[in-house]
């Protein structure tokens, strides 16, 4: 599956859902050693990188040969073989062999075989590994500069009589042995292997010491794939591009290289040379002898496989391949395969069992006969069928770390009537952050309504929500239908489709002031369980007109969320975003979503100190609508690890009472919830299983937009097949809550909160461990030893407020301190409050500002949005500030709010701007040339959805990142201007840095190029660059500059306007394909649709040259 995609399209396989296969250490199927390693990634401590849009800083170049000391610079230091790629083909291996000749450089090559006799048995691997290391040391001492570790058999007899040391084990052992001997810098290591085909495999090999990899069998497999008749037919029919076999192999290499860049970048590393030997992985299920021999310094928390176990598992793959007459067995690691395949927890069979329990018939929908059936076809919930569902999971093969645990109570059982009701337990239930776009409207709204019914917390996911969902339903008829949501069934008056948690992700899709003030909790997505360290993606076919409207983007254009690095470089930046959200919505708590990995405890402590109210720990097995396959399988750890570490670190640092901990990732049953609670969680997220509860059949085609039951499709015909109702999901949650009550009664506990943090009630299950041979080396005692015993001191469950009073943490939120005092003073201004209340009139106010005043105007924007939504404010508030503004000045301003700053501002000016106007000018006696000096900081207008911005001076880096509607003029910018932009217009009157327009899928930019070097600064992956060639384009540009001069008195604008005929020839126009037919780009388009301001109505130009006169038509149209 993977090689076909890589050879045919040059891209890694995209897949959906999550990783529901067993952890490799628990699997009954043989696993490659690579599968025991999880990639680590950056979250909060340092920023990830986008390897596609910021490839300018990335490199896969490697070197082979002896490296001289960096402290003794000489010509010998340059005597190296330079590799553009670490992936080598047969021809390149031949070339490297030729370099051994004296006339070609004299780079001595030596090959060490990693094969050993099958007759030596599994215990023979240790001696074989010693021999490989001894041989490597001797060869390097004798002058070998290129060491090749090869598992290639010389002939069929050797293949039949031998097995091999897994190349990852071999290269790690040789790497560390050479370091110990002081010889590692004297040679380069090439791994020649038949067992590397995935991007993760290559990352592991390089990460543990390889300088290059020759994947001879993968390249041969590409040849065989190419020669298949069906591939030829697909090329003839146009389903595959017509390529040669060499091009297919090159495609494979291209895909591996792109995957390596992605893996580097998620840790914030830009050079493969920095990743090589850095061991940026966590091992899950490897024993101490394997770690000490080959992976020294790698974290392995629970022990696991010994060297002999690894040898045994490697040899297990042989007989089946022979019996299949050289055809590889498909073990179903990714997609369920009947009989021989790997177990998958979320299967079609599991979905069927759950549907029978909750009364769901997947054949009943609006496309069939739902309206004719009693109760919309919802059958009575069946306790017996839920027991069958639960039993199927209990008796299934081991899949998760928690499956090795059992309960051990410290008291006698009680009658279930003494246990708190299910309604109290369900208040702790949440849905996973699944976006509207990844899900259909029907699925997304049904989940929200169901969770709101049981008093839990639904989550919007990234992408925003329709404002119509903000009000409770009051128009539901006796059949459970509402004109407000005509596509839903089973509704009740009082239902609310407004998600409790509104998520703010790196793409800021759908993040508007109204979206922020209507959320009861605001979640910052720092990472996603299915692909931590990467941004989200929504395939173009799923970006319908409705979805594009919510996300302020273009219909049919794939949407890219950058990894979270544009305004979050450190914990201080995250603290600022938390501050922004507390400012615009003081009543909402702020949660921060993290993904389980080693070191998450330190991050959690920082997040708690940054005034977050909730920390969410997601497991690496979480679901997704679309993700690279290797990210789904190999990044992020089980939530059990992350939850235990975060809870322990917060307890040890006396921070646990500040935050609620929420956990999600593969939680399916009441037992899962109980285990998570005992490890420290207070709230619990249900993702994939909640989708199953509303009709998902686990077809695993979410990324293709072809979901057969309309859960994850935007196609109208498929959405009509959606079978779910809120009642189905409510039935599921009630079953889970009752299962928890039964467990509590068995354990002797009446209140659920008394289980939280009680890891002492868990024990290792020897019975479960004995079910799989290779789990015998696993030891969970080390894992649990670090969790504090909280049996006696339960104070962490309450927050302490003034007067040392203790209250439930869920009942209070953190409040900004003096950094929001100016914002509060603005909101308390009587004239301003009067205009907001009466929704009419105009007022002016002046304030002094200093750089400790942060998020200024965010509170006022929140007051306006609460009263009038995004667009309903009819008054006008003009604010003037003087001084040096702190971070996020003008955040979230909206129509009717005009802000002017005389002085300068820090980073994030206009963050999330939705309308109105922000003008920043220097002081009259500033004493510097405005056009040559920075007046605002980095990441200004990040995620803006509207408004007009004018800066009489330069901006910092990342100006207008993810702008989707603002019209902005400034006099220069740093790197990455207009990155990921999806709408709006940007005019730059001065020089800019590199990487302009990277990932830009909408909007237009105008760039003044006085030094004739602009073309070298553009990222040409998507955008087109040309001179202004339309009347509308020239008018738009000129009018925006005239407005800029009018607002700021800019000398640079005056100079350009005074020499317009000459100056206009120096402007470049930058635009993506989606704008090619707009009036400013094409003369064939309707120029009447051109706009020169975000506040201008669509239609004829609304702003004239200074001193110009309105025509009669314009007077009539623009009377306001």
């Amino acid at each position: 599956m993977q090689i076909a995609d890589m050879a045919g399209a040059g891209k890694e396989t995209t897949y959906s859902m999550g990783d529901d296969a067993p952890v490799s250490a628990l699997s009954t199927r043989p696993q490659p050693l690579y599968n025991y390693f999880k990639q680590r990634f950056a979250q909060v401590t340092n920023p990830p990188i986008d390897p596609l849009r910021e490839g300018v800083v990335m490199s896969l170049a490697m070197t082979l040969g002896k490296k001289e000391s960096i402290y003794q610079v000489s010509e010998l230091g340059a005597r190296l073989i330079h590799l553009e790629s670490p992936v080598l083909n047969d021809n390149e291996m031949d070339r490297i062999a030729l370099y051994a000749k004296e006339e070609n450089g004299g780079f001595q090559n030596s090959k060490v075989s990693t094969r050993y006799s099958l007759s030596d048995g599994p215990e023979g691997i240790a001696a074989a590994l010693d021999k490989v290391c001894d041989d490597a040391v001797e060869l390097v001492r004798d002058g070998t500069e290129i060491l090749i570790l090869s598992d290639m058999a010389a002939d069929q007899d050797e293949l039949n009589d031998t097995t091999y040391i897994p190349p990852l084990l071999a290269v790690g052992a040789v790497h560390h042995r050479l370091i110990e001997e002081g010889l590692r810098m004297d040679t380069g290591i090439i791994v020649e292997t038949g067992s590397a085909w995935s991007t993760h495999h290559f990352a592991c090999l390089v990460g543990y010491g390889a300088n290059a990899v020759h994947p001879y069998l993968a390249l041969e497999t590409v040849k065989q794939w190419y020669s298949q008749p069906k591939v030829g037919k697909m090329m003839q029919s146009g389903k595959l591009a017509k390529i040669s076999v060499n091009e297919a192999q090159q495609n494979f290499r291209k895909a591996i290289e792109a995957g390596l860049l992605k893996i580097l970048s998620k840790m914030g590393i830009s050079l493969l040379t920095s990743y090589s030997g850095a061991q940026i992985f966590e091992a899950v299920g490897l024993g101490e002898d394997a770690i000490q021999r080959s992976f020294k310094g790698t974290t392995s928390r629970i022990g696991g496989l010994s060297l002999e176990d690894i040898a045994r598992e490697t040899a297990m793959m042989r007989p089946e391949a022979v019996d299949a007459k050289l055809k590889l067995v498909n073990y179903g690691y990714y997609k369920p395969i009947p009989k021989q395949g790997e177990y998958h927890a979320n299967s079609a069979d599991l979905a069927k069992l759950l549907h029978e329990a909750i009364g769901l018939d997947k054949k009943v929908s609006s496309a069939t006969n739902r309206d004719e059936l009693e109760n919309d076809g919802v059958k009575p919930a069946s306790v017996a069928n839920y027991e069958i569902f639960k039993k199927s999971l209990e008796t299934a093969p081991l899949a998760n770390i928690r499956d090795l645990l059992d309960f051990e109570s410290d008291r006698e059982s009680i009658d279930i009537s003494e246990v708190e009701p299910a309604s109290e337990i369900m208040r702790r239930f949440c849905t996973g952050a699944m976006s509207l776009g990844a899900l259909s409207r029907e699925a997304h709204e049904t989940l929200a309504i169901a969770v709101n019914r049981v008093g839990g917390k639904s989550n919007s996911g990234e992408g925003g929500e329709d404002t119509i969902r903000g009000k409770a339903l009051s128009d539901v008829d006796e059949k459970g239908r509402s004109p407000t949501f005509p596509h839903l069934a089973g509704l009740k008056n009082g239902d609310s489709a407004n998600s409790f948690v509104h998520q703010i992700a790196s793409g800021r899709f759908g993040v508007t002031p109204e979206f922020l003030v209507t959320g009861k909790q605001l979640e910052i997505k720092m990472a996603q369980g299915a692909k931590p360290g990467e941004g989200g993606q929504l395939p173009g076919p799923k970006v319908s007109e409705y979805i594009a409207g919510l996300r302020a983007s273009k219909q049919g254009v794939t949407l890219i969320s950058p990894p979270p690095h544009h305004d979050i470089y450190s914990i201080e930046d995250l603290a600022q975003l938390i501050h922004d959200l507390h400012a615009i919505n003081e009543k909402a708590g702020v949660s921060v979503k993290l993904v389980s990995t080693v070191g998450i405890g330190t991050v959690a402590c920082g997040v708690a100190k940054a005034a977050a109210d909730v920390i969410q720990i997601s497991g690496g097995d979480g679901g997704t609508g679309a993700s690279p396959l290797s990210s789904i399988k190999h990044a992020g750890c089980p939530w059990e690890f992350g939850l235990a570490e975060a809870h322990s670190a917060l307890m040890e640092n006396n921070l646990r009472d500040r935050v609620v901990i929420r956990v999600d990732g593969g939680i399916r049953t009441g037992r899962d919830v109980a285990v998570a609670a005992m490890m420290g969680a207070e709230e619990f997220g249900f993702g994939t299983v909640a989708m199953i509860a509303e009709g998902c059949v686990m077809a695993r085609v979410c990324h293709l937009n072809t979901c057969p039951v309309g859960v994850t499709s935007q196609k109208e015909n498929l959405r009509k097949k959606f079978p779910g109702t809120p009642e189905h999901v409510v039935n599921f949650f009630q079953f889970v809550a009752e299962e928890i009550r039964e467990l509590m009664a068995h354990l002797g506990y009446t209140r659920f909160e008394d289980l939280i943090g009680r890891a002492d009630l868990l024990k290792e299950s020897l019975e479960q461990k004995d079910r799989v041979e290779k789990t015998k080396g696993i030891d969970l005692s080390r894992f649990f030893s670090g969790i504090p015993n909280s049996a006696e001191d339960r104070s962490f469950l309450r927050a302490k407020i003034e007067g040392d009073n203790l209250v439930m943490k869920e009942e209070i939120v953190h409040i900004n301190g003096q950094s929001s005092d100016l914002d509060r003073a603005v909101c308390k201004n009587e004239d301003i409050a009067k205009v907001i209340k009466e929704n009419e009139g105009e007022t002016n106010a002046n304030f002094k500002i200093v750089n400790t005043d942060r998020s200024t105007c965010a509170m006022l924007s929140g007051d306006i949005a609460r009263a009038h939504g995004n667009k309903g404010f009819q008054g006008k508030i003009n604010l003037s500030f003087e001084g040096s503004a702190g971070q996020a000045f003008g955040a979230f301003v909206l129509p009717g709010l005009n802000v002017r700053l005389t002085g300068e501002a820090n980073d994030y000016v206009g963050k999330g701007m939705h309308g109105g106007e922000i003008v920043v000018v220097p002081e009259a006696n500033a004493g510097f040339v405005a056009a040559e000096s920075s007046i605002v900081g980095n990441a200004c207008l990040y995620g803006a959805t509207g408004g007009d911005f004018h800066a009489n001076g330069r901006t910092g880096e990342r100006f207008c990142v993810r702008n989707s509607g603002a019209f902005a003029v400034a006099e220069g910018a740093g790197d990455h201007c207009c990155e990921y932009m999806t709408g709006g217009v940007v005019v730059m009157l001065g020089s800019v840095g590199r990487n302009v327009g990277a990932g830009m899928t909408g909007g237009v930019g105008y760039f003044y190029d006085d030094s004739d070097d602009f073309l070298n600064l553009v990222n040409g992956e998507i955008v087109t660059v040309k001179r202004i060639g339309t009347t509308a384009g020239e008018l738009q540009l000129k009018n925006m500059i005239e407005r800029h001069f009018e607002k700021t008195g800019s000398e640079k604008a005056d100079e350009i306007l005074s020499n317009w005929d000459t100056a206009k020839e120096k402007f470049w126009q930058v635009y993506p394909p989606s704008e090619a037919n707009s009036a400013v780009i094409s003369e064939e388009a309707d120029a009447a649709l051109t706009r020169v301001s975000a506040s201008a109505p669509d239609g004829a130009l609304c702003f004239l040259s200074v001193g110009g006169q309105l025509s009669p038509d314009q007077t009539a149209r623009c009377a306001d």
Side-chain angles (χ1 to χ4, degrees):
M1 178 170 77
Q2 293 182 75
I3 287 180
D5 284 346
M6 290 191 279
K11 294 181 179 180
E12 191 178 354
T13 301
T14 297
Y15 208 53
S16 55
M17 303 310 289
D19 183 14
D20 58 351
V23 174
S24 294
L26 304 183
S27 172
T28 57
R29 300 291 182 266
Q31 299 276 342
L33 183 58
Y34 312 105
N35 290 4
Y36 291 85
F37 290 84
K38 295 294 185 181
Q39 300 160 16
R40 293 176 62 182
F41 48 90
Q43 54 182 357
V44 183
T45 53
N46 61 293
I49 305 169
D50 185 335
L52 294 179
R53 284 94 214 169
E54 298 177 5
V56 66
V57 301
M58 306 291 295
S59 174
L60 293 178
M62 296 288 281
T63 57
L64 297 173
K66 182 175 182 178
K67 296 178 176 65
E68 298 296 322
S69 170
I70 60 173
Y71 300 110
Q72 297 175 0
V73 180
S74 69
E75 290 184 5
L76 284 175
R79 184 185 165 276
L80 296 166
I81 298 173
H82 180 83
L83 304 176
E84 288 294 333
S85 168
V87 184
L88 303 177
N89 59 31
D90 297 345
N91 292 334
E92 288 162 339
M93 289 296 289
D94 292 340
R95 285 179 60 190
I96 289 171
L98 291 175
Y99 288 137
K101 295 183 177 180
E102 205 61 44
E103 62 269 25
N104 294 334
F107 292 90
Q108 185 177 329
N109 286 214
S110 297
K111 184 175 290 190
V112 176
S113 175
T114 59
R115 303 193 71 85
Y116 65 100
S117 175
L118 275 170
S119 62
D120 292 341
E123 55 276 5
I125 192 172
L129 201 55
D130 286 338
K131 184 178 185 306
V132 168
C133 291
D134 291 341
D135 290 349
V137 169
E138 184 177 347
L139 287 167
V140 175
R141 281 198 175 126
D142 289 343
T144 291
E145 293 183 78
I146 301 174
L147 186 67
I148 302 170
L149 303 178
S150 177
D151 59 25
M152 186 186 293
D155 51 36
Q156 188 63 45
D157 288 340
E158 184 179 13
L159 188 66
N160 293 339
D161 296 339
T162 61
T163 183
Y164 63 95
I165 302 169
L168 182 56
L169 191 70
V171 74
V174 170
H175 174 69
H176 281 288
R177 178 69 179 279
L178 291 175
I179 290 173
E180 291 169 5
E181 300 287 344
L183 298 171
R184 183 62 186 90
M185 302 304 287
D186 293 350
T187 191
I189 300 177
I190 297 176
V191 175
E192 184 174 61
T193 180
S195 71
W197 64 87
S198 159
T199 58
H200 177 66
H201 301 169
F202 287 82
C204 287
L205 291 171
V206 175
Y208 282 98
N211 297 92
V213 181
H214 175 214
Y216 63 86
L217 192 56
L219 294 171
E220 181 61 32
T221 304
V222 172
K223 283 185 182 179
Q224 292 189 14
W225 167 82
Y226 186 86
S227 65
Q228 292 176 354
K230 67 177 182 180
V231 173
K233 291 179 182 177
M234 291 175 72
M235 289 184 184
Q236 290 298 325
S237 66
K239 293 181 179 179
L240 277 177
K242 290 185 179 180
I243 54 176
S244 66
V245 65
N246 287 337
E247 288 172 325
Q249 289 188 330
Q250 192 57 36
N251 276 349
F252 172 77
R253 174 150 75 176
K254 176 184 172 185
I256 294 296
E257 290 169 350
L260 281 173
L261 288 172
K262 175 202 68 184
I263 292 167
L264 297 185
S265 64
K266 70 173 66 174
M267 194 62 198
I269 294 173
S270 59
L271 304 178
L272 188 62
T273 51
S274 299
Y275 195 80
S276 178
Q279 303 190 164
I280 305 176
F281 296 87
E282 178 173 355
V284 179
L286 288 185
E288 192 66 20
D289 61 339
I291 294 294
Q292 289 303 315
R293 181 67 72 96
S294 297
F295 314 114
K296 289 179 184 175
T298 299
T299 299
S300 182
R301 305 191 217 197
I302 59 172
L305 271 66
S306 65
L307 287 175
E308 292 183 17
D309 293 329
I310 293 170
R312 195 174 290 111
E313 189 159 51
T314 303
M316 279 176 66
M317 298 184 184
R318 292 174 50 85
E320 292 145 306
V322 173
D323 293 345
K325 296 181 179 178
L326 302 182
K327 184 178 180 181
L328 295 174
V329 174
N330 185 349
Y331 287 107
Y333 293 134
Y334 307 111
K335 193 171 184 177
I337 300 292
K339 296 180 181 178
Q340 268 188 303
E342 180 70 276
Y343 167 69
H344 286 262
N346 296 324
S347 64
D349 291 338
L350 181 93
K352 184 178 179 182
L353 290 174
L354 183 56
H355 291 166
E356 290 173 350
I358 61 178
L360 186 146
D361 184 345
K362 67 180 181 181
K363 296 179 181 178
V364 174
S365 67
S366 62
T368 56
N369 60 339
R370 169 181 279 164
D371 291 342
E372 303 167 12
L373 300 175
E374 183 181 354
N375 196 29
D376 292 316
V378 180
K379 301 174 184 176
S382 168
V383 174
N385 284 335
Y386 183 78
E387 287 298 318
I388 296 172
F389 163 78
K390 188 174 69 171
K391 194 71 174 177
S392 74
L393 287 171
E394 290 172 354
T395 57
L398 299 178
N400 304 291
I401 301 300
R402 58 187 175 274
D403 294 340
L404 299 177
L405 299 174
D406 204 351
F407 303 111
E408 185 176 47
S409 187
D410 56 352
R411 59 185 70 174
E412 295 295 320
S413 298
I414 59 174
D415 189 83
I416 196 169
S417 62
E418 299 178 46
V419 178
E420 69 181 4
S423 58
E424 286 299 309
I425 295 171
M426 288 191 290
R427 294 170 65 85
R428 300 179 180 272
F429 292 172
C430 314
T431 51
M434 298 174 282
S435 72
L436 176 54
L439 301 190
S440 64
R441 282 192 71 181
E442 289 79 358
H444 199 268
E445 292 163 359
T446 295
L447 279 180
I449 291 170
V451 183
N452 289 340
R453 274 189 194 175
V454 302
K457 297 176 177 65
S458 52
N459 193 311
S460 69
E462 66 172 304
E465 283 189 351
D466 198 326
T467 55
I468 199 173
R469 294 171 63 168
K471 296 180 180 179
L473 291 178
S474 59
D475 58 357
V476 180
D477 62 23
E478 66 279 0
K479 291 186 176 181
R481 301 294 189 275
S482 164
T484 309
F485 296 100
H487 47 283
L488 300 184
L491 301 177
K492 300 177 181 178
N493 281 318
D495 277 341
S496 172
N498 182 37
S499 293
F500 186 100
V501 181
H502 285 187
Q503 189 182 77
I504 296 89
S506 56
R508 299 294 196 269
F509 292 113
V511 177
T512 66
E514 186 170 358
F515 177 75
L516 295 175
V517 299
T518 53
K520 297 180 180 67
Q521 189 177 107
L522 304 176
E523 178 178 89
I524 300 170
K525 177 183 174 182
M526 288 303 304
Q528 180 176 341
K531 46 186 171 183
E534 299 176 56
Q537 61 187 101
L538 189 65
K542 298 186 78 168
V543 185
S544 63
E545 181 180 3
Y546 178 73
I547 299 301
L550 291 177
R551 298 192 178 209
S553 60
K554 306 290 183 182
Q555 182 178 353
V557 177
T558 296
L559 297 180
I560 308 155
S561 281
H565 65 164
H566 294 304
D567 62 343
I568 300 175
Y569 280 81
S570 64
I571 187 63
E572 289 82 6
D573 295 319
L574 176 60
Q576 177 58 44
L577 182 54
I578 293 171
H579 185 279
D580 299 334
L581 300 180
H582 278 312
I584 191 170
N585 189 347
E586 283 197 291
K587 293 183 179 179
V590 174
S591 61
V592 175
K593 182 176 181 179
L594 305 172
V595 172
S596 175
T597 187
V598 63
I600 195 173
T602 302
V603 175
C605 290
V607 171
K609 291 177 181 179
D613 302 283
V614 178
I615 296 175
Q616 172 149 339
I617 309 293
S618 292
D621 54 354
T624 179
S627 172
L629 184 58
S630 68
S631 299
I632 293 175
K633 296 293 290 186
H634 303 300
C637 287
W639 56 252
E640 294 92 326
F641 290 174
L643 173 60
E645 182 181 343
H647 171 69
S648 300
L650 290 165
M651 290 283 285
E652 290 165 1
N653 288 278
N654 298 316
L655 296 169
R656 189 63 182 84
D657 61 340
R658 294 193 189 185
V659 290
V660 170
I661 292 184
R662 180 183 301 148
V663 69
D664 75 348
I667 291 178
R668 300 176 184 89
T669 65
R671 182 185 186 279
D672 290 343
V673 171
V675 172
M678 292 173 184
M679 288 186 178
E682 292 151 283
E683 295 180 349
F684 313 90
F686 297 81
T688 302
V689 73
M691 289 169 54
I692 294 174
E694 60 176 353
C696 170
V697 293
M698 289 306 299
R700 300 177 193 263
V701 290
C702 314
H703 55 298
L704 301 177
N705 200 30
T706 56
C707 176
V709 288
V711 173
T712 61
S713 177
Q714 302 304 327
K715 294 181 178 178
E716 289 289 340
N717 61 319
L718 295 177
R719 287 172 50 197
K720 289 181 179 178
K721 296 181 179 181
F722 178 72
T725 68
E727 186 176 344
H728 290 128
V729 183
V730 169
N731 287 345
F732 167 69
F733 283 136
Q734 287 177 334
F735 278 135
V736 173
E738 288 299 333
E739 180 189 347
I740 293 169
R741 294 184 71 236
E742 291 173 6
L743 276 170
M744 290 171 62
H746 174 70
L747 295 171
Y749 283 80
T750 60
R751 298 187 309 168
F752 184 85
E753 74 167 36
D754 293 336
L755 297 180
I756 297 170
R758 294 293 307 280
D760 57 299
L761 300 179
L762 292 170
K763 67 176 182 178
E764 197 170 14
S765 172
L766 299 179
E767 180 183 349
Q768 289 288 78
K769 280 182 64 176
D770 288 342
R771 290 177 61 188
V772 179
E773 178 67 26
K774 61 184 177 182
T775 61
K776 292 181 179 178
I778 289 178
D779 178 13
L780 296 183
S781 60
R782 293 186 303 171
F783 172 60
F784 280 110
S785 62
I787 302 178
N789 189 329
S790 59
E792 301 299 327
D793 184 1
R794 309 292 291 162
S795 60
F796 71 91
L797 292 170
R798 298 287 186 273
K800 188 176 291 187
I801 59 175
E802 292 183 15
D804 288 341
N805 294 317
L806 297 178
V807 298
M808 293 290 291
K809 284 182 285 188
E810 296 86 345
E811 295 176 3
I812 64 168
V813 298
H814 290 91
I815 301 296
N816 291 340
Q818 66 178 26
S819 52
S820 285
D821 284 351
L822 176 58
D823 227 5
R824 294 187 180 97
V826 172
C827 293
K828 290 177 180 177
N829 182 286
E830 293 182 0
D831 294 334
I832 292 174
K834 183 174 184 290
V835 171
I836 295 173
K837 182 178 180 180
E838 297 178 357
N839 199 21
E840 63 179 12
E842 181 175 353
T843 189
N844 303 306
N846 301 306
F847 300 92
K848 296 286 186 180
I849 191 169
V850 295
N851 62 9
T852 54
D853 295 319
R854 298 189 286 150
S855 312
T856 304
C857 296
M859 285 185 172
L860 180 60
S861 299
D863 287 348
I864 296 171
R866 268 184 291 275
H868 309 293
N870 284 330
K871 305 292 185 184
F873 182 47
Q874 302 300 313
K876 191 172 183 181
I877 299 172
N878 303 311
L879 301 180
S880 293
F881 294 89
E882 186 176 342
S884 296
Q887 293 176 323
F889 174 78
F892 311 118
V893 300
L894 68 178
L897 179 54
N898 300 323
V899 182
R900 184 180 182 88
L901 171 64
T902 301
E904 60 189 359
N906 214 305
D907 296 341
Y908 320 131
V909 174
K911 178 187 292 187
M913 183 181 189
H914 187 65
E917 181 179 271
I918 298 175
V919 177
V920 184
V921 298
E923 295 175 350
N925 58 350
F928 55 77
V929 178
E932 298 175 358
S933 306
S934 294
I935 194 167
V936 294
N938 297 320
C940 296
L941 295 189
Y942 181 45
T945 53
D948 290 289
F949 176 86
H950 297 272
N952 185 13
R954 296 179 60 82
T955 73
E957 294 188 355
R958 304 192 185 281
F959 182 69
C960 275
V961 169
R962 268 295 295 121
N963 173 32
S964 59
F967 282 56
V969 186
E971 305 191 1
D975 295 345
H976 314 299
C977 186
C978 300
E979 195 174 18
Y980 306 101
M981 196 161 125
T982 61
V985 180
V986 171
V987 177
M988 278 291 150
L989 305 183
S991 64
V992 294
R994 59 186 177 174
N995 209 36
V996 173
M1000 181 178 176
T1001 57
V1004 178
Y1006 297 92
F1007 294 85
Y1008 187 64
D1009 185 12
D1010 200 20
S1011 55
D1012 202 28
D1013 63 352
F1014 177 72
L1015 293 180
N1016 297 324
L1017 303 171
V1018 178
N1019 184 316
E1021 178 196 10
I1022 298 175
V1023 298
T1024 298
V1025 184
K1026 70 181 186 70
R1027 296 293 187 184
I1028 301 167
T1030 64
T1031 303
E1034 181 181 341
L1035 282 171
Q1036 183 180 62
L1037 173 62
K1038 188 177 182 182
N1039 276 270
M1040 288 184 69
I1041 298 174
E1042 288 173 339
R1043 182 173 173 80
H1044 183 66
F1045 174 71
E1046 176 189 333
K1047 292 290 180 181
T1048 68
S1050 165
E1051 293 179 2
K1052 189 64 176 281
D1054 187 30
E1055 177 188 334
I1056 290 173
L1057 291 171
S1058 299
N1059 300 279
W1060 180 248
D1061 290 339
T1062 302
K1064 70 180 181 182
E1065 301 298 330
K1066 295 183 180 181
F1067 277 96
W1068 292 101
Q1069 197 175 44
V1070 177
Y1071 63 93
S1074 63
E1075 300 288 353
N1077 295 321
S1078 66
V1080 297
I1081 307 298
S1082 171
E1083 286 285 13
E1084 298 176 6
D1086 185 359
L1089 299 178
T1090 306
R1091 301 173 70 192
V1092 296
S1093 165
S1095 58
D1098 292 336
L1101 297 177
C1102 295
F1103 294 96
L1104 303 175
S1105 304
V1106 177
Q1109 298 296 315
L1110 289 172
S1111 69
D1113 288 342
Q1114 287 174 319
T1115 301
R1117 175 163 189 176
C1118 300
D1120 60 333

